[in-house]
């Protein structure tokens, strides 16, 4: 390494010959292949005579620049406005390019940016418009299909309720409505259809809202009740549902059309008529205004449910009368519906007519207009109205009478029963009807006893196996029931198993006997008896009791 001379130090200290400040070390740049390597700068007058270092020495002594700075960006990325301030861009530009201002083409254009921001919104708006148009077309198509179906069926259009349309047949309804009665937990009984249970829930919600408004002496309107019921049930509640409630329970409310009721709403004026609802309660003489308490709500709810069950009973009675042979079941003995009676196909409740606001008299025909304003018209206009009234009063062309519907042919036996005597068919049908009648009038206690009788043949086999494995002539009731619970195929409590053992001893006292000794009960079994005969006898007893 060359040594500096002393004269160079004094030259750098002189004011006129002071060396220029050293520039900052430039950023590493990758040389372009089309340009030659830069030459070492010539030594200035004020610089030292230090030997210049060759590029090989620089490469050997100093560390190489990072790899990310040796990359060359594409032309469109370098010229873009977003890459103008990046370190990669500054490392690739020359000193002249750094000092020169950005050209007009390199500056970002605000209008272009605004257009770029607006394009997605235009595309989204057009897509939304197309989707809305498509939805409207589909809605119009659905309405046309509904109108054609109603026209073909010959049934008048009726308002629909959310979740259970009134005009749809059983096949078009969801499965959770068509088979609602089959999915109810617990033993079978007098189950209500799905639409009747929804109506009962609507009555309970309506009664709750009405009680809250009525107890604070507030006028109960249908608008307030509708909003409250929809918030509670998350279903639509219309005047049609109120009419159904009036049909089922006419003594529950009093409906009137009143006006001058404060509504605090912009869309309803005080002069408009509104449907008001007033609960009907038993008021004693000399007492204050009654309150709709929780006991009243529970009582009214039970009455409404009983009335719904009574309506289903009527349809069930008509179904029994249409059977071959017809059946008749006393109402006080009916505990479940007929096996072939589809509960969820019971027709909906017809809504009752609610009070309507009084209509203003309007002139609807030419005769009314002529009678009302005869004195105010010219003779020419009066003559024209007279001619129009005569043409309107003429009867229309007589229509051809509708053809009479053919009578329903008598039911013919299926081809599989061809050749079977009619007397035998009548006996089989009578026996089946008797069995169904016994099933419909069976009490819950009888049903529980029949279930235990069906389990007895298998329990008898399990009990004999327990005695054989224990090798004892008698076992305590606790030990025998515990062994049987562990060996039976279904889960059963020891107390329930003890009831089965007691029933088994009642039916077959010669084969199984119970002995009470002090505080314990011992079970004794006859191992020599034929197990197959015992099981056959138990099955025969179960069938005989089921036929009763």
């Amino acid at each position: 390494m060359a040594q500096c001379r002393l004269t160079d130090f004094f030259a750098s200290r002189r004011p006129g010959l002071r060396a220029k400040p050293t520039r900052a070390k430039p950023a590493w740049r990758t040389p372009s292949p089309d340009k030659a390597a830069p030459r070492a700068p010539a030594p200035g007058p004020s610089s030292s005579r230090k030997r210049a270092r060759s590029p090989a020495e620089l490469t050997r002594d100093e560390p190489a620049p990072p790899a990310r700075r040796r990359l060359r960006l594409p032309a469109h990325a370098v010229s873009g406005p977003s890459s103008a301030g990046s370190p990669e861009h500054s490392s690739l530009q020359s000193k002249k390019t750094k000092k020169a201002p950005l050209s007009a083409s390199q500056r970002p254009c605000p209008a272009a940016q605004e257009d770029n921001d607006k394009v997605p919104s235009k595309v989204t708006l057009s897509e939304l418009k197309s989707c809305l148009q498509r939805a409207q077309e589909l809605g119009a198509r659905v309405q046309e299909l509904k109108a054609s179906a109603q026209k073909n069926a010959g049934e008048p259009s009726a308002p629909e309720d959310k979740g259970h349309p009134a005009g749809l047949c059983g096949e078009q309804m969801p499965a959770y409505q068509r088979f609602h009665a089959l999915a109810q937990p617990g033993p079978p009984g007098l189950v209500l259809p799905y639409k009747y249970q929804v109506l009962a829930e609507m009555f309970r919600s309506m009664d709750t809202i009405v009680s809250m408004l009525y107890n604070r002496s507030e006028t109960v309107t249908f608008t307030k009740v509708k909003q409250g019921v929809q918030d509670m049930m998350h279903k639509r509640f219309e005047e049609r549902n109120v009419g159904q409630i009036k049909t089922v329970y006419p003594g529950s409310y009093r409906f009137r059309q009143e006006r001058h009721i404060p509504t605090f709403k912009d869309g309803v004026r005080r002069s408009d008529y509104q449907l008001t609802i007033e609960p009907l309660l038993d008021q004693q003489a000399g007492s204050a205004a009654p309150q709709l308490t929780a006991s009243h709500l529970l009582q009214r709810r039970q009455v409404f449910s009983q009335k719904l069950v009574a309506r289903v009973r009527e349809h069930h009675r008509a179904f029994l009368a249409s059977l071959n042979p017809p059946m008749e079941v006393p109402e006080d003995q009916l505990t479940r519906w007929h096996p072939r009676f589809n509960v969820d196909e019971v027709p909906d409740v017809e809504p009752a007519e609610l009070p309507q606001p009084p209509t203003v008299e309007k002139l609807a025909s030419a005769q009314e207009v002529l009678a009302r304003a005869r004195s105010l018209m010219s003779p020419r206009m009066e003559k024209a109205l007279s001619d129009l009234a005569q043409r309107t009063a003429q009867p229309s062309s007589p229509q051809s009478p509708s053809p009479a519907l053919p009578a329903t042919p008598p039911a013919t036996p299926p081809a599989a029963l061809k050749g079977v005597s009619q007397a035998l068919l009548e006996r089989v049908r009578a026996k089946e009807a008797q069995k169904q009648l016994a099933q419909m009038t069976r009490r819950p206690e009888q049903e529980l006893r029949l279930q235990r009788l069906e389990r007895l043949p298998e329990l008898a086999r399990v009990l004999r196996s327990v005695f054989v494995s224990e090798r004892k002539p008698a076992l305590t009731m606790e030990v025998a029931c515990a062994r049987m619970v562990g060996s039976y195929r279904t889960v059963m409590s020891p107390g329930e198993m003890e009831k089965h053992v007691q029933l088994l001893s009642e039916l077959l006292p010669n084969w199984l006997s119970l002995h009470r000794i002090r505080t314990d009960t011992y079970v004794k079994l006859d191992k020599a008896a034929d197990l197959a005969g015992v099981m056959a006898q138990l099955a025969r007893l179960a069938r005989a009791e089921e036929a009763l």
Side-chain angles (χ1 to χ4, degrees):
M1 183 175 179
Q3 187 175 5
C4 297
R5 295 186 301 176
L6 187 61
T7 55
D8 294 338
F9 172 76
F10 288 103
S12 62
R13 295 292 295 176
R14 293 174 63 181
L17 300 177
R18 182 172 298 177
K20 296 182 181 180
T22 305
R23 289 188 178 181
K25 186 177 181 181
W28 286 96
R29 294 173 293 148
T30 304
S32 178
D34 57 345
K35 293 183 181 180
R39 291 188 245 176
S46 62
S47 62
S48 64
R49 295 182 181 181
K50 183 178 179 180
R51 181 174 63 87
R53 303 175 67 181
S54 63
E57 293 178 354
L58 291 174
T59 308
R60 184 177 63 252
D61 297 342
E62 298 180 3
R68 65 183 183 86
R69 293 191 178 183
R70 291 199 303 255
L71 297 177
R72 293 179 60 90
L73 298 179
H76 66 275
V78 174
S79 61
S82 62
S83 63
S86 62
E88 292 83 0
H89 180 74
S90 61
S91 65
L92 294 176
Q93 297 296 335
S94 62
K95 296 180 180 179
K96 185 177 178 180
T97 308
K98 289 181 180 177
K99 293 181 180 179
L102 291 174
S103 61
S105 61
Q106 294 177 344
R107 294 177 183 173
C109 181
Q113 292 180 356
E114 294 178 0
D115 293 341
N116 293 337
D117 296 340
K118 291 180 181 178
V119 167
S121 63
K122 289 182 179 178
V123 174
T124 305
L125 184 59
S126 61
E127 291 178 356
L128 289 177
K129 287 184 178 179
S130 62
C131 292
L132 180 59
Q133 184 178 3
R134 179 62 177 168
Q136 292 177 353
E137 294 176 359
L138 292 177
R141 180 61 178 167
V142 169
Q143 294 295 335
E144 293 177 2
L145 292 176
K146 286 185 178 181
S148 62
Q150 291 176 356
K151 185 177 179 181
N152 295 336
E155 298 179 356
S157 60
E160 297 180 358
D161 194 7
K162 182 179 180 183
H164 36 276
L168 298 180
C169 59
E171 288 73 17
Q172 297 179 354
M173 296 174 62
Y176 74 91
Q177 294 184 14
R178 285 185 282 138
F179 309 108
H180 176 263
L182 302 178
Q184 295 303 305
L190 301 180
V191 182
L192 289 175
Y194 176 78
K195 47 193 171 186
Y196 281 22
Q197 291 194 4
V198 171
L199 188 62
E201 188 66 18
M202 285 183 176
F203 176 77
R204 185 189 68 83
S205 304
M206 178 179 175
D207 230 16
T208 304
I209 301 299
V210 169
S211 65
M212 294 171 59
L213 299 176
Y214 179 77
N215 291 341
R216 61 189 183 206
S217 302
E218 184 177 348
T219 304
V220 184
T221 60
F222 172 73
T223 306
K224 302 175 184 178
V225 174
K226 175 181 178 180
Q227 186 62 36
V229 173
Q230 290 184 161
D231 292 342
M232 291 178 65
M233 296 191 59
H234 301 285
K235 293 180 179 292
R236 292 186 59 185
F237 185 71
E238 304 292 344
E239 290 190 8
R240 176 175 177 272
N241 305 118
V242 180
Q244 291 177 334
I245 292 175
K246 183 180 179 181
T247 301
V248 177
Y249 194 2
S252 57
Y253 298 104
R254 181 186 293 114
F255 302 96
R256 289 193 296 264
Q257 286 287 346
E258 300 180 6
R259 57 180 179 176
H260 302 295
I261 299 175
T263 57
F264 305 104
K265 290 186 177 181
D266 297 336
V268 182
R269 297 174 296 181
R270 293 175 63 93
S271 59
D272 294 342
Y273 281 92
Q274 298 187 54
L275 180 64
T276 60
I277 305 171
E278 180 184 356
L280 297 178
L281 302 174
D282 297 334
Q283 183 177 3
Q284 299 178 359
S287 61
Q291 296 286 321
L292 199 55
T293 59
S295 59
H296 288 98
L297 295 180
L298 183 59
Q299 181 182 1
R300 290 160 63 93
R301 181 182 177 184
Q302 293 175 353
V303 171
F304 191 83
S305 299
Q306 293 173 2
K307 290 182 178 295
L308 287 178
V309 173
R311 295 182 67 89
V312 182
R313 284 177 185 268
E314 295 178 1
H315 295 285
H316 183 255
R317 191 184 306 112
F319 172 78
L320 295 180
S322 64
L323 295 177
N324 185 18
M327 299 175 60
E328 184 177 357
V329 183
E331 295 295 335
D332 55 343
Q333 298 180 7
L334 183 65
T335 57
R336 68 189 67 195
W337 308 122
H338 192 275
R340 292 202 299 267
F341 177 64
N342 196 341
V343 183
D344 293 307
E345 288 186 358
V346 173
D348 206 350
V349 180
E350 292 295 332
E353 185 178 357
L354 297 176
Q356 300 297 327
T359 57
V360 181
E361 184 180 0
K362 297 181 180 180
L363 303 178
S365 63
Q367 293 180 353
E368 295 179 0
V369 175
L370 182 62
R372 187 64 68 88
R374 186 181 297 274
S375 60
L376 304 177
M377 297 180 183
S378 61
R380 187 175 180 180
M381 185 177 293
E382 183 177 352
K383 182 180 179 182
L385 288 174
S386 300
D387 296 342
L388 180 61
Q390 291 177 3
R391 287 197 301 269
T392 307
Q394 290 179 0
S396 58
S397 59
Q399 300 178 356
S400 59
S402 59
L405 296 176
T408 305
T412 58
L417 300 179
K418 190 175 182 180
V420 182
S421 63
Q422 192 67 22
L424 178 60
L425 291 178
E426 293 296 336
R427 288 197 301 270
V428 170
R429 288 170 182 167
K431 188 174 181 180
E432 183 181 0
Q434 182 181 3
K435 182 178 179 180
Q436 294 172 352
L437 178 61
Q439 184 178 1
M440 287 187 292
T441 58
R442 189 174 297 151
R443 297 297 176 186
E445 298 82 7
Q446 298 176 356
E447 185 70 22
L448 184 60
R449 180 180 174 85
L450 285 177
Q451 292 178 1
R452 292 175 180 172
L453 286 174
E454 292 176 357
R455 302 191 193 106
L456 287 185
E458 186 174 357
L459 288 177
R461 180 183 58 80
V462 172
L463 183 59
R464 188 178 184 279
S465 302
V466 170
F467 271 89
V468 171
S469 62
E470 291 291 336
R471 297 181 180 180
K472 293 181 181 179
L475 295 174
T476 60
M477 180 68 75
E478 296 180 0
V479 173
C481 292
R483 299 293 189 276
M484 293 176 68
V485 167
S487 303
Y488 193 53
R489 54 186 174 86
T490 59
V491 180
M492 191 180 301
S493 63
E496 185 67 19
M497 185 63 70
E498 183 177 352
K499 294 179 181 178
H500 285 78
V501 174
Q502 292 176 358
L503 181 60
L504 193 60
S505 65
E506 292 176 5
L507 297 177
L508 300 175
N510 297 330
W511 182 68
L512 182 69
S513 59
L514 302 180
H515 302 275
R516 184 79 176 178
I517 300 176
R518 293 178 185 162
T519 59
D520 294 336
T521 302
Y522 288 86
V523 182
K524 190 174 181 180
L525 181 68
D526 185 9
K527 299 179 183 179
D530 185 15
L531 181 60
V534 171
M535 296 176 63
Q537 185 178 358
L538 291 174
R540 189 166 51 254
L541 290 175
R543 288 195 300 269
E545 191 157 349
E546 186 178 2
L548 295 178

